[in-house]
Structures are given as structure tokens and as C-alpha cells.
Amino acid sequence: MTQLTSRPLLSSYKELSYLLKKIDKNRWYSNYGPLYRYLQKKIERYFDLKKNKVIFTSSGHSSLLACCKLLKDITIKKYIIVPSFSFYSNPQTIIEGGFEPLFVDINLKDFSINKEELEYLLKKYRGNIAAIMFVSPFGFPIEIKTLNEIQKKNKILLIYDAADTFINLPRKLDYSKIFITCSFHPTKSLPANESGLIIAPKKYYKKLENILNFGFKKKNRNIYLNGFNGKFSEYDAAILIANFKRIEVIKKELKKKNLYISKKLSKINRIYFNIEMGKKWITSKIFLLSKTKNYNMLVKSLNKKGIKIFKPWAQRPMHRENFFKKYKKSSMINTEIVNKYSFAIPFYIDQSLKKTDLIIKKVINSL
């Protein structure tokens, strides 16, 4: 059976060629080169940043790890709170950064951290929480103002893994007082190479760049931080520049498809999905929670119809992965529900509405 789901689409060679010629001419291939600095200024203007700076990385994972390593340099506290409904990178970077993940449940409205469970963990482990790591599910933007308030109220630094949310971040972003990380994996709504970024207050800027460059100062090349190689090459910059130029086209196409999909799904009472999709935010992944059939039942049925669905992020929530079982957690009632009944379907900007309609119909008929 031919699979109906589509593949990612990046800028063509023709759109990249003039940038590759610049790299050849500059003979600067890595370590914060001219294309890096050009793109840095471009993104900072895009978000109207003055008190914050942009730092590019080799991946979303590298972005999170750099933030965790920075935190380790400024605190001796033990835990970073993180939702169990997340990707491997989240607890892995916490552990690699020298902390322990403290898993928290999610809510069933927007699938981000459950505020009551968060308060419970903050109270129980008060005095030993180094940070809270919020994770955006599939492009859904968590309000920066709310995250600022949580950081201020609890006097705990906050890492916002915005993941696939770059395209949904507010254009006026300089009021952010937290660490924001994003991924530009080819499967993201704004795709590029396997690369990422951090948006952070200016006072952390130099340290983050140095952490990503093995932890040494550029002046004397003496190591003063526990860093690693998480640099963003000039070729990464070229690919992201070419794709960033298309951001308004991408937004327009995704919005059109999101609104179309939302209209179709809103009539079906056998599923739950975020009804704001296409209205207040856009995505290239349809994330659904079935009210009647579990994932295992649906995957068999839809595979026969040529529809490839996938478990969001991983086959199991992080607290049930063998590698992470030993770490502490809150109640996981909602996380277990979502793990059992949720599924996602990717689609991309060049997928026709006709094909999208066929996929939705087959999904609805299988529920």
C-alpha cells in the first residue's frame, strides 16, 4: 500500500547556491563565521531583541545541553523538573548537564506541564530545584509571560524547550527573561539542517557560545567551563537562511491546511484535538487524542489504509523508559492516558488539500 503521508521539504539547491558560493569565497566553515553573524542579526531583528541574544547550535539537543551546563556552573541544586511526556533529549540533557530529572505530569488541555503537580513538586523538593524545563507539544506555544511569572514567583531558572514552536513565537519577544530553545530538524514547521538555537538574556550570551565551543574563551583558548562541541556551521547557517526567507510562505500554507483540518475534525466527537490549531498557532503535525480506540488498535487499522501515524516523541513516556525509571516523579495519570490514546500524523507545506482530505477521511473512519 502506498503511504499517503508526505516527506519534509527544504529549500532547493538553487536557493542555496549563492550562499554556498559565499562560504567558498570566505573559506570560513565553522566557529561563528560571517553567515552565522548575518543570520544572528536577522533573527534578533525579527524578534526585536535588545536585552536578549540569539545563539545558534548544532541541534535542539545541543541547545538544551548548553543551557543545562550553564546552570551547573551557577547552582549546586540537584533537580530539574521536566514533563515525562517529552522527547529523550529532555531528560538526557538534564543528566548530561549534571542534574537529575524530576518527572512531572501534564494536563489534558494543551498537554504541557500540569500546574498542580508542578506546585506539589516545588513544595516537596523546595530548596533543591535548579530549574524547570517546560516543553512545547508539537508547535503549541506556551505563553512567555506565564513562564516569566513562574520563574519570578519561584526564583528558579526556567528553560523553555520551544522545540517546533519557532514559527509560533511572538514577534515582540524581548520581554522574555528565560532560556528559550528551538530545533530546526527537517521535520519541523520551519525546517533546516539538524540545527537549533537558544534565545537567552544577554548576560548569559558569551558563556553559552563558549560552552558550545568546548568551554574555552576565544581570547586565550583556555578552558574555564565544562563545554562540548555543539557549534552551528556555516553550512547550517546557509540552509537556515534559505528556509527562513520562506517563513511567511510557510506560515500561510500551514495556516490554510490547519484551518481546513480543524474544520473537518471539529465535527467528530470521538477525538480531542487543540481547537486553536490554525487560529492561534500553526503546525505541520496533526496531534489527536482518541476517545474510543488506543494507539495499538489505530496503528494497525491505519497502516492498512496507507496512513502512517506515530507515537508522539517516543513509544513510552520518559518515566517508563528503563534508563529513566530510577528517577523521581509525580503522579502520571494524564501522561498515561495520552500515551495510550494519542497519535500524530505529519504533513508538509507541499501536500495538497485533496491528499490531506483523503488522510483525514481515512483517520475519521478508523476511529
Side-chain angles (χ1 to χ4, degrees), residues 20-62:
L20 298 178
K21 285 177 182 177
K22 282 189 176 184
I23 294 173
D24 288 344
K25 183 180 177 181
N26 294 333
R27 295 175 65 175
W28 195 327
Y29 307 105
S30 189
N31 295 58
Y32 312 115
L35 291 187
Y36 180 108
R37 296 303 181 196
Y38 167 81
L39 181 60
Q40 184 182 46
K41 288 178 182 176
K42 198 171 183 67
I43 301 292
E44 287 173 354
R45 283 196 299 268
Y46 180 79
F47 288 122
D48 197 23
L49 300 180
K50 295 177 180 66
K51 296 175 185 175
N52 285 271
K53 291 287 290 181
V54 166
I55 304 100
F56 294 106
T57 69
S58 58
S59 67
H61 182 93
S62 295

Side-chain angles (χ1 to χ4, degrees), residues 69-84:
K69 283 184 174 286
L70 176 66
L71 290 177
K72 195 62 181 176
D73 190 58
I74 60 179
T75 182
I76 59 170
K77 293 177 181 179
K78 185 176 182 179
Y79 301 110
I80 294 181
I81 296 174
V82 64
S84 179

